Amino acid sequence: MKYVLVTGGVVSGLGKGVTASSIGVVLKDCGLRVTSIKIDPYLNTDAGTMSPFEHGEVFVLDDGGEVDLDLGNYERFLDIKLTRDNNITTGKIYQAVIDKERRGDYLGKTVQVVPHITDEIQEWIERVAMNPVDGTDEPADVCVIELGGTIGDIESMPFIEALGQFSYRVGAGNFCLVHVSLVPVLNVVGEQKTKPTQHSVRGLRGLGLIPDILACRSTQPLEENVKVKLAQFCHVPISSIVNLHDVTNIWHIPLLLRDQKAHESILKVLDLQCVGKVPRAPKLTEWTERASKFDKLKTPVRIAMVGKYTGLSDSYLSVLKALLHASVALDRKLVVDWVPSCDLEDSAATETPDAYEKAWDLLKGAHGVLVPGGFGDRGVQGKILAAKYARENNVPYLGICLGMQIAVIEFARSVMKLRGANSTEFDPATTTPCVIFMPEGSKTHMGATMRLGSRRTFFQANTCKSAKLYGNASYVDERHRHRYEVNPEMVPEFEKAGLSFVGRDESGTRMEIIELPTHRFFVGAQFHPEFKSRPGKPSPLFMGLIAASSGQLDHLLQQSCGVVSSPVRRGNYCNGATKQQKLYQNGHVKNGLVNGCYYANGNSILHT
C-alpha cells in the first residue's frame, strides 16, 4: 500500500480537502485504485452532534457514519463509497485505546500517548486503507490521507508524531507528503510572499515530517522567482512545487495538477512500479469537458434555499453540489438565493421589515424552492410559509427531510383545516401530531441515535414523478438522518385530501416520498438524496427540481432511460441513454454569500 499525506500550514481553509480529492482524481486517471482517510483532531467521536455553524454540514455515509464534509468531497470526486472508519477523530482513537486498557489488552503497562495512542493511529490507518471502496473486492493501490487543521495545532500533535513514525514504518517509496501552504500578496507591496510557507515548512520539519511536494495556494499563478525562492528555503525541487491558484470553477483543480505534472512527482516518490502496474499519463477528458461546460453556461435558474444556516454555505454543501450537478446536466447556470427562514415569518414584518421584504422578494423571484433538512424549531414557521407559497402558486418545490415534514404540516393546516397540526419536535403537546418521534429513537443520547445510513424506499406506483425520475425503478436506496417521521396513523386522511405518499419503507408504515399529483413539481423526501449525487450522476430528485424550474420536466420524464435507479445501484445509465444524458456534467464554485450570486471568489478551490 502506498500513502499520500496532505497537511496544511499558515491558515485553515486553504483547500486541503479539495487538494487531497484532486490528487486522488489524477492518480485514479493514471490507472490506480484510490481510497481516502480524513483525520480530524477534535475530541468528538464523530461529527453527528456538531452544529453546522461549528463545522459545516454533517455528511452521512451508507453505513450510517456521520462524518466530516470532506468525505463528501472524496466520494464525489472519486465516485467511491467510504465507511465511518475512513474518518479518524481523536475521540475515536482515545475511545479505542481506553477500551483496550479496560479489557486488559496492555497487560498492566502504563498507557501513554506514545506508544499506545500513536500505535493505534497507525494501525487504524493500515487497516482502513485495505478496505475496498470502489464496488470491487480489490484493495486500493494508494491511500490519500488528509490531516485536518494546520501544522502547530496542539490537538494535532499525537497525529503528527504517529504519522512521522508511520513514514518510517512503511519505508521509503511508500510515503509521500504534500504540504498545502499559502503564498499571500500584501497590497502594500504587491508581491507574492514566501515567508509564511517557509515558517510552515520549518515547523513541519521540526515535528519530524519532511514535505516531498509543496502545493501553494495563491490568487494568481506563482512567479518563477517565487518558486526558486521556495525551492531554496524549503528544500523542495522546483518540479515538486505545484501552484493551486484561484480558478473559475472547482473542476480545474485536477487539471492544474495534471498540467504541472504533479502526478509525475508523486509517482516518483512512491515508486509506484512496485504495485505491479505501469501508471499511464492522466488525460482527465471528462474533467476537462466538465470544467469547460460550466464556464460557458449562461441561462440562469434561480433556486430559493430556505433555511436557518444561510450565513454559512458549508452548512448545505452537499445540497449545493447536488443542485450544481443537476443544473449543469440541464445546461443551466445555477443562482442560489439564500432566504433565511426566520425573515419570512410574520414577526419579522414588524421587527426587521427590510429583511422581511427582501426575503419575500427573493422567494417570489425564484424559479424553484428548496427547503433542506434541519433540527430545532427556529425558523420553522418561515419554512412552512415557503412551502405554502410554492404549493399555492404552482412553484416547483423540493423538501428534504425536515423540508418534507413541514410540507406535510402545511398541507394539514391549509388544505385539511387542521389548525393545530404540528410536529412533536416543535410542540410535544400538539393535539394533531402530523410528525412524530420514531419509536426506536433515543431522547437521552444524541450521538448516532437517529435513523442513519442507506435504507430502501419502495415506490407505490411507477406513474408518479419520483419513480419516473428514478427510471421507473421499483425501489431505491438512499441515505437517511432523522429522528422524526410522518405519523402513519394520519396517512389515510392525507391521501384522501390529495397528498400522495408515493414512497415507503419495506414495512409500508414509514413514509419516504410525498407528491402533490396536481402540482407542477411538489416533492418531499424523508431521505437525503444530496449525499449520493455525483458530477456525472446527478440525483434524480434534484434533476426533477431543476428541470421543473427551467421548463424541462416533461422532456426529462419522457426520457425513461436517463439517470436511472437499478434494483442494485442508483445512477446507472441504460443502453438507450442519449448523448446529452451521458454527458451530464457539473461544476461548483465557492458561494460568495451574496444573494443572487453564485460565483468564484478567492477561496474557490475549497469545495467540490
Side-chain angles (χ1 to χ4, degrees):
M1 177 65 68
K2 308 288 184 174
Y3 300 90
V4 176
L5 172 64
V6 178
T7 61
V10 184
V11 295
S12 61
L14 285 178
K16 296 188 302 297
V18 171
T19 302
S21 301
S22 298
I23 288 172
V25 167
V26 175
L27 294 179
K28 186 176 180 180
D29 210 54
C30 288
L32 300 167
R33 295 181 183 276
V34 181
T35 186
S36 294
I37 293 175
K38 172 66 187 294
I39 297 174
D40 283 302
Y42 49 70
L43 279 170
N44 303 62
T45 300
D46 57 37
T49 59
M50 299 173 73
S51 165
F53 279 130
E54 286 283 330
H55 205 65
E57 75 169 6
V58 176
F59 191 79
V60 179
L61 303 170
D62 268 7
D63 67 357
E66 297 172 284
V67 296
D68 183 80
L69 58 82
D70 274 318
L71 273 78
N73 293 340
Y74 306 153
E75 284 204 342
R76 284 187 290 268
F77 263 64
L78 299 171
D79 194 19
I80 56 179
K81 289 186 178 181
L82 301 174
T83 70
R84 67 179 76 236
D85 287 344
N86 289 83
N87 191 190
I88 303 175
T89 69
T90 298
K92 287 181 179 179
I93 295 296
Y94 274 77
Q95 188 175 63
V97 170
I98 290 172
D99 287 345
K100 288 182 179 180
E101 184 271 332
R102 293 289 84 187
R103 291 196 304 264
D105 292 3
Y106 296 119
L107 303 176
K109 291 185 178 179
T110 301
V111 180
Q112 298 175 294
V113 173
V114 181
H116 301 99
I117 294 295
T118 52
D119 283 352
E120 183 68 30
I121 293 169
Q122 295 176 67
E123 290 165 8
W124 192 301
I125 290 172
E126 285 189 313
R127 171 173 54 84
V128 174
M130 295 302 295
N131 293 337
V133 295
D134 60 357
T136 70
D137 295 329
E138 296 292 327
D141 302 311
V142 180
C143 178
V144 180
I145 307 167
E146 178 192 348
L147 175 62
T150 55
I151 294 302
D153 294 346
I154 191 170
E155 299 93 342
S156 301
M157 290 306 176
F159 292 100
I160 293 289
E161 175 63 27
L163 290 165
Q165 295 178 16
F166 191 67
S167 66
Y168 290 102
R169 177 173 175 169
V170 298
N174 293 313
F175 188 88
C176 177
L177 174 53
V178 180
H179 188 58
V180 183
S181 186
L182 177 67
V183 179
V185 174
L186 300 181
N187 291 332
V188 178
V189 293
E191 65 175 333
Q192 295 173 333
K193 292 293 184 180
T194 64
K195 193 62 72 177
T197 298
Q198 292 180 43
H199 284 305
S200 181
V201 171
R202 187 177 298 120
L204 188 64
R205 286 177 172 272
L207 294 169
L209 289 172
I210 300 175
D212 298 294
I213 297 171
L214 285 182
C216 298
R217 282 285 289 114
S218 61
T219 55
Q220 299 296 327
L222 287 185
E223 299 168 5
E224 195 60 32
N225 67 303
V226 173
K227 285 188 175 183
V228 172
K229 194 171 183 180
L230 285 170
Q232 181 179 2
F233 286 96
C234 298
H235 305 162
V236 175
I238 291 181
S239 60
S240 296
I241 297 177
V242 180
N243 181 209
L244 301 179
H245 56 79
D246 291 350
V247 290
T248 54
N249 75 70
I250 200 65
W251 279 271
H252 286 288
I253 303 305
L255 307 183
L256 284 179
L257 291 173
R258 178 202 62 188
D259 293 344
Q260 296 175 74
K261 300 188 184 304
H263 58 284
E264 293 184 1
S265 298
I266 296 173
L267 295 176
K268 181 178 179 181
V269 172
L270 293 181
D271 190 19
L272 273 160
Q273 302 294 335
C274 294
V275 300
K277 296 183 179 181
V278 180
R280 60 176 182 262
K283 295 182 179 179
L284 297 176
T285 303
E286 181 181 337
W287 286 86
T288 304
E289 294 174 351
R290 182 176 298 134
S292 176
K293 181 177 182 181
F294 181 82
D295 288 341
K296 295 175 183 177
L297 294 175
K298 289 183 170 40
T299 306
V301 56
R302 306 186 74 92
I303 301 297
M305 181 87 80
V306 183
K308 66 176 183 178
Y309 303 118
T310 54
L312 181 65
S313 63
D314 272 4
S315 300
Y316 303 113
L317 186 59
S318 290
V319 175
L320 290 174
K321 301 308 176 186
L323 286 171
L324 259 297
H325 300 166
S327 61
V328 177
L330 294 169
D331 298 312
R332 291 295 182 271
K333 183 177 182 179
L334 178 65
V335 179
V336 174
D337 287 324
W338 297 91
V339 182
S341 54
C342 292
D343 292 345
L344 295 172
E345 297 176 356
D346 295 340
S347 59
T350 54
E351 297 172 2
T352 53
D354 290 343
Y356 176 81
E357 183 178 357
K358 180 181 179 182
W360 276 102
D361 285 344
L362 289 172
L363 183 65
K364 292 179 179 179
H367 300 130
V369 177
L370 191 152
V371 177
F375 298 91
D377 60 357
R378 184 171 67 86
V380 164
Q381 184 57 34
K383 296 177 182 180
I384 290 175
L385 290 170
K388 181 177 182 180
Y389 168 79
R391 181 183 58 79
E392 292 182 341
N393 293 276
N394 204 28
V395 176
Y397 175 90
L398 177 60
I400 298 172
C401 197
L402 177 61
M404 167 184 159
Q405 294 171 8
I406 64 100
V408 171
I409 295 170
E410 189 281 322
F411 187 87
R413 292 180 182 179
S414 301
V415 178
M416 300 170 66
K417 307 304 180 184
L418 301 173
R419 303 302 179 189
N422 213 333
S423 167
T424 56
E425 179 180 8
F426 315 130
D427 180 9
T430 178
T431 56
T432 311
C434 298
V435 179
I436 60 173
F437 192 79
M438 293 189 303
E440 69 270 34
S442 171
K443 292 187 177 182
T444 58
H445 289 76
M446 300 296 289
T449 58
M450 289 183 277
R451 186 168 179 250
L452 293 165
S454 182
R455 306 296 178 102
R456 184 155 292 177
T457 295
F458 291 87
F459 290 104
Q460 304 304 296
N462 60 10
T463 56
C464 63
K465 294 183 179 70
S466 300
K468 290 180 180 178
L469 288 169
Y470 278 100
N472 293 320
S474 58
Y475 59 82
V476 63
D477 296 323
E478 292 280 12
R479 298 175 183 178
H480 294 67
R481 185 176 187 251
H482 64 105
R483 286 191 177 90
Y484 291 81
E485 62 185 2
V486 174
N487 187 348
E489 293 182 1
M490 292 189 64
V491 168
E493 298 177 55
F494 280 114
E495 293 193 319
K496 185 177 179 180
L499 184 64
S500 296
F501 292 86
V502 300
R504 305 188 184 194
D505 75 340
E506 63 278 1
S507 70
T509 59
R510 198 159 257 158
M511 303 303 115
E512 295 282 4
I513 305 175
I514 64 166
E515 281 190 20
L516 277 177
T518 58
H519 196 282
R520 181 159 46 135
F521 185 85
F522 194 95
V523 176
Q526 184 60 73
F527 50 78
H528 290 262
E530 68 271 21
F531 291 143
K532 294 181 74 171
S533 183
R534 302 286 182 266
K537 304 172 187 175
S539 165
L541 295 187
F542 280 86
M543 286 288 288
L545 175 65
I546 297 298
S549 301
S550 57
Q552 304 179 70
L553 183 60
D554 289 341
H555 179 64
L556 181 65
L557 293 177
Q558 290 171 3
Q559 296 177 331
S560 60
C561 288
V563 181
V564 304
S565 173
S566 68
V568 177
R569 186 176 179 181
R570 178 183 61 76
N572 297 327
Y573 294 105
C574 71
N575 294 330
T578 64
K579 179 180 180 182
Q580 179 185 8
Q581 291 163 328
K582 290 180 179 178
L583 291 178
Y584 278 170
Q585 312 271 326
N586 89 315
H588 176 66
V589 291
K590 170 77 174 176
N591 166 46
L593 299 183
V594 178
N595 275 313
C597 298
Y598 201 66
Y599 59 92
N601 66 10
N603 295 323
S604 61
I605 75 162
L606 293 182
H607 305 290
T608 62

